[in-house]
Amino acid sequence: MPSHPSIFNDVLGPVMRGPSSSHCAASLRIGRMALDLMGGELCKVLVEYDPNGSLVTTHKSQGSDMGLFGGFLGWEAHDERLPSYREGVEEAGIEIEIRYVSYDARHPNTYKMTIENSRETRTMTAISIGGGMMEVQEIDGAEVSMGGDFHETLAYVNGDAQAVEAWVVERVDADEVQLCVGDRSFVQIRSQSAISSELLAELNANEAVDCVREIAAVLPVRSRKDLVVPFSTCEEMLAYNEGRNLSLWELAVHYESARGGISHEEVIVKMTDILRIMESSIQSGLEGTEYEDRILGCQSVTFQERMESGSMVAGDALNRTILFTTAIMEVKSSMGVIVAAPTAGSCGALPGACLGVASALGRSEEDSVRAMLAAGMIGVFVAGHATFAAEVGGCMAECGAGSGMAASAIVTLMNGSLEQTLGGASMALQNALGLTCDPVANRVEAPCLGRNVMAASNALACANMALADFAHLIPLDQVIDAMDKIAGEMPHELRCTGLGGLSVTKASKAIEARLQDD
């Protein structure tokens, strides 16, 4: 889990295409870093998945292959070419082999790779940790920790490694320098941006340096040396707020400004951009989507028609929430552009609830931006102390977290108090504890759509309960701690492996067989 999550790195984002942020966006970022490690040239890749993890059963159907291969090609997570990733690697002449090998992977989403080009062969091991976030854990047998939030320069040494390390420390303005010892040792230089071309030339000219590789940051918000945030738990936030009397959205601005080293105004601008992408996704969905390779077709258009004709139970805010949630999920399933919020599998609940209620109430864009910031702050607490990865915590980690975030957004739209905002989030997350992840036919479509709608509806109910001062009893920090403990106790089969629950019903298996025949 990230030590200091960012709203725009870890919670609301990435902007992407594909069914799953854990599978598509994270693997794409891993592929991009692998491409950089090889100096921008890839000829051959061996990818090994541990059968005890989730990727053996999901790498094809949930987009890991699409993301990883797209990363090998240097594409972005929202690139319109992603559905044609197989043609892309063939045109680029990259030979890719996937094997299932037991190697006692410590994380269910582990990518173990051997990568080659015309000059060299290297190894890399990385994991996807949820919501598009990832970590490179090994390069050429050396233990590392790279989350894509720094520019990484690796100076491979063939002589006095400590002398090279000392030279770097003296000459380079870096956030961190360390010697990494493995099959091939290198000095790792971590910085917010690329080091100068002059220093790179000197480093390459050093007789003790074999070669230099630069791995560019893949996250929108960079980290830095001695990074300090004003608080990292809800309890600490309340203490920080004593005498300030800030609302949750304002506290989110304070946090993200400190985390990203940007102004309060820049935080607002970034969130406004995210909100507009969400609104665009909803509009695209309501216009109707088409995509052959999916198990659920376009349903939001019919929902809207029947809602407007009065043939369904009335309830404008709730029905708009269901409509918007469904529209976003259909855009995701048709390879359209969405915001992982906090993940792609749960991308509908938060914007569907927030923007559905905002639309029903006639709220302004500024109101919605503030609501989304409040939601982002709740997500920071989850990211820092639990997980967004269904492979680790089931759908509780995705739709459950999204529901808690959405409840806080709705209370913010209603100008509720800070206590009510936190109470709504606590109740909504309490209601989702233990929720399984058991995708039908190994696709991130069903029961994902229904669970996103449930998460959004739960958020609306809990927001109203909080606004009526219902007692939430358990402080949010403790609910998140309970969520993390439950994740560790959930059976492997119920955590997005396709090995339990609805995934193994006769109907699910029949749909899976039909898709394979097609």
Side-chain angles (χ1 to χ4, degrees):
M1 63 184 68
S3 57
H4 297 305
S6 158
I7 290 174
F8 301 115
N9 280 354
D10 305 81
V11 182
L12 300 183
V15 177
M16 58 168 286
R17 296 177 191 268
S20 167
S21 47
S22 292
H23 291 266
C24 306
S27 64
L28 185 141
R29 287 167 166 172
I30 291 167
R32 287 279 298 271
M33 294 177 76
L35 179 64
D36 283 353
L37 179 62
M38 302 304 289
E41 180 194 349
L42 272 178
C43 296
K44 186 176 182 180
V45 182
L46 169 63
V47 185
E48 296 176 299
Y49 295 134
D50 193 320
N52 293 316
S54 70
L55 292 170
V56 166
T57 55
T58 61
H59 71 91
K60 294 179 181 178
S61 58
Q62 296 189 21
S64 294
D65 289 355
M66 180 183 71
L68 190 64
F69 295 10
F72 292 155
L73 294 166
W75 294 350
E76 297 285 352
H78 53 79
D79 197 300
E80 62 183 11
R81 296 171 292 181
L82 278 170
S84 302
Y85 66 97
R86 292 194 182 278
E87 292 87 341
V89 295
E90 288 179 8
E91 290 175 7
I94 304 174
E95 179 185 339
I96 301 176
E97 179 184 0
I98 295 175
R99 294 179 187 170
Y100 304 151
V101 180
S102 294
Y103 49 84
D104 297 324
R106 292 174 292 177
H107 192 281
N109 289 341
T110 299
Y111 298 77
K112 184 177 180 181
M113 298 177 291
T114 303
I115 43 185
E116 301 179 30
N117 61 23
S118 59
R119 304 179 306 273
E120 57 197 356
T121 299
R122 301 195 182 280
T123 62
M124 172 188 281
T125 301
I127 62 172
S128 162
I129 57 179
M133 302 300 288
M134 42 68 62
E135 180 188 30
V136 176
Q137 297 186 322
E138 175 272 332
I139 291 177
D140 289 333
E143 185 176 331
V144 297
S145 179
M146 299 180 185
D149 52 346
F150 282 100
H151 187 94
E152 308 276 3
T153 304
L154 310 184
Y156 282 85
V157 294
N158 56 17
D160 190 339
Q162 292 182 338
V164 174
E165 181 183 17
W167 182 92
V168 170
V169 170
E170 180 182 350
R171 299 294 306 279
V172 179
D173 182 18
D175 288 82
E176 183 180 353
V177 178
Q178 64 176 346
L179 176 61
C180 301
V181 179
D183 301 327
R184 302 177 189 176
S185 297
F186 53 86
V187 176
Q188 178 185 0
I189 308 165
R190 174 170 287 172
S191 54
Q192 291 184 59
S193 56
I195 65 178
S196 70
S197 56
E198 292 81 3
L199 284 174
L200 271 180
E202 289 186 49
L203 193 55
N204 272 301
N206 191 312
E207 292 183 355
V209 173
D210 182 54
C211 67
V212 178
R213 293 287 178 264
E214 293 186 273
I215 303 176
V218 294
L219 297 185
V221 177
R222 305 289 174 86
S223 293
R224 60 191 184 278
K225 181 170 55 180
D226 303 324
L227 174 62
V228 176
V229 293
F231 44 82
S232 60
T233 66
C234 193
E235 184 178 6
E236 291 174 0
M237 180 184 71
L238 293 173
Y240 173 84
N241 200 37
E242 288 183 9
R244 290 184 171 89
N245 297 317
L246 301 173
S247 61
L248 185 58
W249 77 264
E250 291 172 310
L251 289 162
V253 172
H254 280 231
Y255 177 91
E256 190 65 17
S257 175
R259 170 61 181 83
I262 57 178
S263 69
H264 289 194
E265 292 74 18
E266 287 176 288
V267 174
I268 298 292
V269 169
K270 282 181 176 290
M271 186 57 78
T272 302
D273 291 341
I274 290 292
L275 183 79
R276 289 174 180 171
I277 295 170
M278 292 174 170
E279 290 174 331
S280 177
S281 297
I282 292 171
Q283 186 58 42
S284 294
L286 295 180
E287 291 171 358
T289 56
E290 294 183 6
Y291 194 68
E292 183 177 350
D293 188 20
R294 61 177 178 177
I295 61 177
L296 290 175
C298 176
Q299 302 173 116
S300 59
V301 172
T302 302
F303 188 97
Q304 184 172 32
E305 290 171 352
R306 295 186 183 176
M307 182 179 77
E308 292 174 349
S309 69
S311 59
M312 298 191 307
V313 177
D316 192 40
L318 178 58
N319 283 336
R320 284 178 188 255
T321 291
I322 296 170
L323 176 65
F324 287 6
T325 299
T326 304
I328 292 176
M329 294 298 288
E330 290 173 355
V331 170
K332 174 196 69 69
S333 295
S334 60
M335 291 299 297
V337 174
I338 54 95
V339 177
T343 69
S346 61
C347 68
L350 169 58
C354 179
L355 296 175
V357 171
S359 174
L361 298 176
R363 294 294 193 258
S364 66
E365 179 180 76
E366 182 181 24
D367 293 330
S368 296
V369 167
R370 291 175 174 179
M372 206 62 71
L373 282 163
M377 195 66 252
I378 299 299
V380 163
F381 297 141
V382 175
H385 302 281
T387 182
F388 288 139
E391 295 82 0
V392 177
C395 200
M396 164 184 69
E398 297 199 18
C399 288
S403 188
M405 293 162 61
S408 69
I410 296 170
V411 175
T412 301
L413 286 171
M414 292 296 295
N415 299 312
S417 67
L418 176 59
E419 179 65 19
Q420 289 171 333
T421 312
L422 298 175
S426 174
M427 286 187 283
L429 188 52
Q430 288 180 49
N431 293 345
L433 294 182
L435 191 62
T436 63
C437 181
D438 47 353
V440 171
N442 272 325
R443 298 298 183 95
V444 189
E445 295 184 65
C448 316
L449 169 60
R451 289 185 182 162
N452 272 261
V453 169
M454 180 199 69
S457 305
N458 177 52
L460 178 54
C462 291
N464 274 338
M465 291 164 69
L467 289 164
D469 291 323
F470 277 46
H472 59 276
L473 298 178
I474 312 298
L476 182 61
D477 285 338
Q478 294 179 37
V479 178
I480 293 172
D481 287 343
M483 170 186 174
D484 188 49
K485 291 177 182 176
I486 291 170
E489 296 165 356
M490 289 183 73
H492 166 75
E493 291 81 6
L494 300 181
R495 292 180 288 160
C496 195
T497 58
L499 300 175
L502 294 177
S503 299
V504 295
T505 59
K506 289 182 179 179
S508 176
K509 290 299 182 183
I511 295 170
E512 187 174 0
R514 188 194 75 214
L515 292 170
Q516 290 174 348
D517 290 341
D518 293 343

